[in-house]
Amino acid sequence: LQSPHLLLKNLTAPFPHPNIIDIKMGTQTYEPTAPPSKQIREAKKYPPQSEIGFRIVGMRVMHNNNSPPSAGGGDEYTCWGKSFGFNLNTNEEVMRALMTFFHCDGGGGRSSSHYTQHILSCVIRQLTRIKKWFEAENDTLTFYASSILVVHDGCQNLCDHIELGDGASSVRQEPIVKMIDFAHVCRESGGDKGYLKGVTNLLNILEKIHNLEFR
């Protein structure tokens, strides 16, 4: 193409029943050049962000009822918005929210447990790649108010191959982990220590969940 362009992609499209979570990364959400009034306003929104390194903006989770919607289980979701994330003040509270997102409630049976273990392992692997990029390669960019979006299929009891009709089938889509929202990316020497702190803490929490659930 001869002119600048923007391509949009629906990351939920490959999933029959997508669970979605938006996690705002970094220890601060405003640019250094923002007016003092905005800096104060942003910092007051969620004081724990400077320590935790991220905030759950919102999430949508399919009800875990041991039966896929196509089998009469019902395609129902629970949604949590910004106010929910603002009230998660400790790592332990954030951890419980993430356990809800990944269905780590012990109620899905053995097959669901294996599926959850697989999903967590995939997400941890993708987040580790992001962390390594911030550690080893990024020394010029800072991502203020940027997010990580995680999507996985909320129906735990679908088989690994999904029937599409006429004898065709498709391998179940792996979870997707993407960096999104780049409206406030700045060039700063030294990279983004705040984002790195957030993704490191997020990985530590997910690894703790994985170890608690499947040790």
Side-chain angles (χ1 to χ4, degrees):
L1 297 177
Q2 299 301 315
S3 59
H5 59 281
L6 178 67
L7 296 178
L8 299 180
K9 182 178 181 181
N10 180 5
L11 296 177
T12 68
F15 301 93
H17 318 288
N19 279 9
I20 311 165
I21 189 169
D22 183 333
I23 305 173
K24 192 171 293 292
M25 302 301 298
T27 54
Q28 73 179 55
T29 59
Y30 54 87
E31 298 178 33
T33 56
S37 59
K38 182 175 181 179
Q39 294 188 26
I40 294 171
R41 185 171 65 252
E42 288 293 316
K44 284 183 176 180
K45 281 184 179 179
Y46 187 59
Q49 184 138 0
S50 62
E51 291 299 321
I52 295 175
F54 65 87
R55 169 172 61 88
I56 295 176
V57 177
M59 63 183 191
R60 188 182 85 152
V61 179
M62 182 180 174
H63 291 173
N64 181 14
N65 57 6
N66 294 319
S67 180
S70 59
D75 194 356
E76 298 181 356
Y77 293 85
T78 300
C79 298
W80 293 265
K82 289 184 178 180
S83 60
F84 171 75
F86 284 138
N87 286 290
L88 301 174
N89 294 309
T90 65
N91 273 358
E92 290 71 24
E93 291 173 350
V94 171
M95 180 174 169
R96 285 196 291 271
L98 290 170
M99 292 179 75
T100 297
F101 176 71
F102 289 105
H103 290 305
C104 297
D105 53 9
R110 184 174 180 180
S111 62
S112 296
S113 177
H114 285 308
Y115 175 62
T116 300
Q117 182 179 21
H118 170 69
I119 293 298
L120 277 170
S121 296
C122 290
V123 170
I124 288 170
R125 183 173 65 249
Q126 294 181 63
L127 284 173
T128 299
R129 285 202 294 266
I130 294 174
K131 176 175 178 282
K132 287 181 177 178
W133 181 79
F134 275 93
E135 288 176 326
E137 298 183 44
N138 177 44
D139 57 4
T140 59
L141 298 176
T142 306
F143 296 76
Y144 296 107
S146 183
S147 289
I148 285 179
L149 190 75
V150 181
V151 188
H152 72 88
D153 200 292
C155 188
Q156 301 181 23
N157 293 311
L158 292 175
C159 60
D160 290 336
H161 287 75
I162 301 170
E163 297 301 322
L164 301 178
D166 298 325
S169 65
S170 174
V171 176
R172 180 196 278 267
Q173 172 69 42
E174 294 286 305
I176 290 175
V177 178
K178 291 289 186 181
M179 294 175 63
I180 63 170
D181 299 339
F182 305 116
H184 301 281
V185 177
C186 302
R187 290 193 177 276
E188 294 182 19
S189 178
D192 194 335
K193 299 297 191 295
Y195 198 116
L196 178 58
K197 178 177 180 176
V199 75
T200 300
N201 193 33
L202 178 57
L203 271 168
N204 289 340
I205 292 173
L206 293 181
E207 287 169 350
K208 185 175 181 181
I209 293 172
H210 188 276
N211 293 335
L212 285 172
E213 291 292 306
F214 310 110
R215 61 187 174 185

